[in-house]
Amino acid sequence: MKQKRWLFILAAVLLLACDADEKYSTRYLCNFVFITDYAPNCALTRSLDNGGMFVIVKPSAKEGVVHLMLTPNTGTWQESETDVVMSTAIANEKLSYQDMGARKGLIIGCCNVPDLSGNRLKAYDAQCPNCLEDDDTKSYPLTFDDDKTQPGVTCAKCHRIYLLESEGMSMSGKKDTPLYQYRISYSVNYKNEHVLRVQN
């Protein structure tokens, strides 16, 4: 009897693990690394422990140096907090900002309520998944929705609204594809640096 119980528990754990893996997209390569110690006051760093705050992150090259352009969904920000110059060797030379989802853009932030695993951090692609599935040759950037009751993003083409604290689900009520979601971790490395990773 005990063996059957253990087999059932093992099967349930494996099923939950498979479901967890399925929510993460592998359609577009994502391998974003950001050491928050180099920009402790920027909008991205501050969003990681501020419930309900999300930031759209896009790389931009200026005179051979990568800048992370940050668009937060809340607050008033100085330019230095939304235009992060990745000028250190580790930030600009040893890290690549090419693999950031469908069109080099991510939505990263912190939910007010943790998910079942206790994680409050979320990372999504900054492109509309339903429009991409209709036509992958164009760009469909998402922007923050004006509704302040729950963080969301909207697509200018199809007008869908996606809820960032609800696994990126669409509000349309149809069986829409939710936002492409990526794995996210925030931890301290062997150099005692705080490292944010967003990956497939």
Side-chain angles (χ1 to χ4, degrees):
M1 192 66 164
K2 284 186 178 180
Q3 277 186 323
K4 286 184 180 178
R5 184 179 297 167
W6 279 109
L7 286 174
F8 177 76
I9 291 171
L10 180 61
V13 168
L14 290 174
L15 184 62
L16 288 172
C18 289
D19 286 344
D21 280 345
E22 287 178 9
K23 79 176 182 179
Y24 298 113
S25 176
T26 57
R27 182 170 180 167
Y28 301 97
L29 191 58
C30 184
N31 187 24
F32 174 71
V33 179
F34 181 70
I35 300 172
T36 60
D37 301 82
Y38 296 135
N41 295 317
C42 79
L44 177 56
T45 301
R46 289 164 64 183
S47 74
L48 299 176
D49 63 358
N50 192 344
M53 183 177 174
F54 288 83
V55 177
I56 296 174
V57 182
K58 294 184 178 180
S60 175
K62 298 178 182 179
E63 298 179 4
V65 176
V66 173
H67 291 237
L68 290 182
M69 308 308 294
L70 310 176
T71 306
N73 68 332
T74 60
T76 304
W77 300 85
Q78 297 177 13
E79 184 179 351
S80 63
E81 297 168 324
T82 58
D83 180 354
V84 181
V85 182
M86 308 303 287
S87 57
T88 65
I90 184 67
N92 196 47
E93 295 169 17
K94 295 183 180 178
L95 299 178
S96 170
Y97 299 97
Q98 299 301 311
D99 302 327
M100 290 179 63
R103 302 285 183 271
K104 296 183 194 174
L106 299 171
I107 303 167
I108 299 171
C110 181
C111 294
N112 284 298
V113 178
D115 62 19
L116 294 175
S117 66
N119 188 15
R120 293 174 63 203
L121 298 178
K122 293 289 179 189
Y124 302 102
D125 202 292
Q127 293 281 313
C128 176
N130 292 282
C131 290
L132 280 175
E133 289 176 3
D134 289 341
D135 183 358
D136 192 11
T137 63
K138 297 178 182 175
S139 181
Y140 308 99
L142 298 166
T143 56
F144 287 116
D145 184 47
D146 291 333
D147 183 2
K148 301 299 181 189
T149 58
Q150 185 174 7
V153 288
T154 186
C155 173
K157 181 179 185 296
C158 69
H159 306 291
R160 287 178 175 92
I161 297 173
Y162 300 93
L163 300 176
L164 299 175
E165 295 212 28
S166 299
E167 302 294 334
M169 301 299 288
S170 168
M171 284 182 63
S172 70
K174 300 175 184 176
K175 292 188 176 180
D176 290 335
T177 300
L179 293 177
Y180 295 141
Q181 190 171 164
Y182 301 113
R183 288 178 174 81
I184 183 169
S185 65
Y186 187 43
S187 59
V188 179
N189 68 9
Y190 69 97
K191 294 180 179 178
N192 207 33
E193 297 168 325
H194 296 80
V195 183
L196 171 68
R197 295 180 189 278
V198 179
Q199 299 168 316
N200 294 109

